[in-house]
Amino acid sequence: MVGSVLITGAGSGIGLATARLLAAKGYRVYGGVRKEEDAERLRALGVEPLLLDVTREEDLLGAREALGGGGLFGLVANAGVAVAGPLELVPPSAFRQALEVNVLGVHATVRAFLPLLREGGGRVVLMGSVSGLVALPLLGPYAASKFALEALADALRVELTPFGVKVILLEPGSVATPIWERAERAAEGYLLPPPPGTEGIYGRYLEVARRMAQRSAQAGLPPERVAEAVLRALESPRPRARYLVARRDRAWQTLLLRLLPTPLRDRLLARALGV
Ligand SMILES: NC(=O)c1ccc[n+]([C@@H]2O[C@H](COP(=O)([O-])OP(=O)(O)OC[C@H]3O[C@@H](n4cnc5c(N)ncnc54)[C@H](OP(=O)(O)O)[C@@H]3O)[C@@H](O)[C@H]2O)c1
């Protein structure tokens, strides 16, 4: 056994792949889940499930108690949601949920487990995104939450240096997980109707958003690739502050979009939207 690691959002996608890999490597893995069927799946992998909604303080306290003493070698703050859509049509409640889970939930999780990380000389791995580097249209709320996570990571990394707790931010590009289908389904429920006269443009945007989600779900990296990056972040003797985990073309595209003058970048993105 090489130490204990807690992964939030371990019931599917990247969290599940990471739980599987770390358990296979001999770590004692605790996986945060919200559904009994996900708990069952984890048990079958030798992972100990914990009922953990990162927006519920009582769940965080319960999980910390369940871990007991002995410290943590790693905390993988992975739980997240994708809230997407043209910003005019996104109601505040949906935007708030992105921030509640992806930003405040991460902050609350880190705070809850820091005493155990200090005790175990552990590391924090935060699940950012390329959406924290470049905000694509139609992904505004999600990108806002992942940009916020970049800020959280930068502040936390320096603040925790004296405690010997390293903070590493992963920035995956598209990964083939259920997140995109879930986002699409959720958006069908929350998106507001377009104001009169805007139906044509917003109708086209929604079609583009659907295609983008399908492409991400199908052509994304396998979640195992991100799991390997988590392992590297936990085990590397000198981990980097951030790891971009993306197909080469997507990584270049992201770097290019960051470097381009804003008017040029906007023109390219507008063309991708069909405007
Ligand atoms: N897939 C990508 O292309 C991609 C790219 C970059 C970054 N990421 C990031 O990777 C992380 C994992 O996403 P994924 O792609 O693996 O998608 P996923 O399969 O949908 O996994 C997200 C996980 O987060 C959990 N979760 C959602 N809200 C939660 C809450 N309030 N409390 C606790 N758990 C909660 C979900 O649990 P339930 O099933 O119970 O809802 C699910 O297990 C996210 O932070 C995401 O932003 C994904």
Side-chain angles (χ1 to χ4, degrees):
M1 198 64 75
V2 278
S4 300
V5 179
L6 169 67
I7 305 164
T8 64
S12 60
I14 294 170
L16 179 61
T18 304
R20 187 182 286 121
L21 177 66
L22 296 185
K25 293 283 177 188
Y27 286 94
R28 175 165 196 171
V29 184
Y30 297 91
V33 292
R34 300 194 297 170
K35 299 187 281 284
E36 184 47 38
E37 75 232 44
D38 289 341
E40 272 307 309
R41 194 173 312 128
L42 289 185
R43 279 189 203 101
L45 295 172
V47 172
E48 203 163 313
L50 296 173
L51 208 64
L52 179 50
D53 182 323
V54 297
T55 64
R56 291 167 57 97
E57 198 63 33
E58 58 272 38
D59 282 11
L60 287 161
L61 287 174
R64 189 171 63 194
E65 268 170 33
L67 258 64
L72 261 183
F73 179 79
L75 168 65
V76 185
N78 165 75
V81 290
V83 174
L87 281 161
E88 189 177 2
L89 310 189
V90 174
S93 55
F95 203 141
R96 199 170 289 124
Q97 199 217 354
L99 300 178
E100 286 286 350
V101 179
N102 298 356
V103 186
L104 299 176
V106 171
H107 177 233
T109 304
V110 171
R111 287 193 64 236
F113 295 101
L114 257 177
L116 295 179
L117 288 162
R118 262 194 289 268
E119 197 184 327
R123 293 181 181 178
V124 178
V125 180
L126 303 175
M127 201 55 71
S129 166
V130 292
S131 288
L133 299 172
V134 174
L136 296 182
L138 310 181
L139 276 178
Y142 182 66
S145 74
K146 294 297 183 179
F147 266 71
L149 197 57
E150 294 274 332
L152 199 147
D154 279 343
L156 199 59
R157 195 176 54 250
V158 180
E159 288 171 11
L160 298 186
T161 302
F163 303 116
V165 175
K166 291 191 177 356
V167 178
I168 300 121
L169 180 69
L170 300 193
E171 296 162 329
S174 295
V175 185
T177 72
I179 200 169
W180 301 110
E181 195 197 318
R182 286 175 174 183
E184 210 183 325
R185 225 180 312 128
E188 280 165 16
Y190 63 67
L191 283 182
L192 301 167
T198 66
E199 295 90 344
I201 288 181
Y202 281 135
R204 195 166 342 131
Y205 284 2
L206 293 178
E207 190 45 48
V208 173
R210 255 190 298 276
R211 279 206 305 272
M212 273 166 48
Q214 280 163 9
R215 211 175 315 133
S216 296
Q218 286 161 7
L221 283 179
E224 288 73 19
R225 279 282 301 279
V226 187
E228 284 158 18
V230 173
L231 184 68
R232 223 171 16 256
L234 288 173
E235 292 189 343
S236 166
R238 287 167 170 266
R240 299 211 307 256
R242 25 175 64 77
Y243 291 88
L244 187 64
V245 190
R247 296 158 78 105
R248 197 178 291 255
D249 55 341
R250 185 67 203 274
W252 278 111
Q253 193 189 61
T254 301
L255 296 175
L256 189 71
L257 284 172
R258 267 169 78 85
L259 291 175
L260 282 180
T262 305
L264 183 54
R265 184 182 66 178
D266 288 355
R267 272 208 300 282
L268 283 175
L269 292 176
R271 198 183 304 158
L273 274 188
V275 291

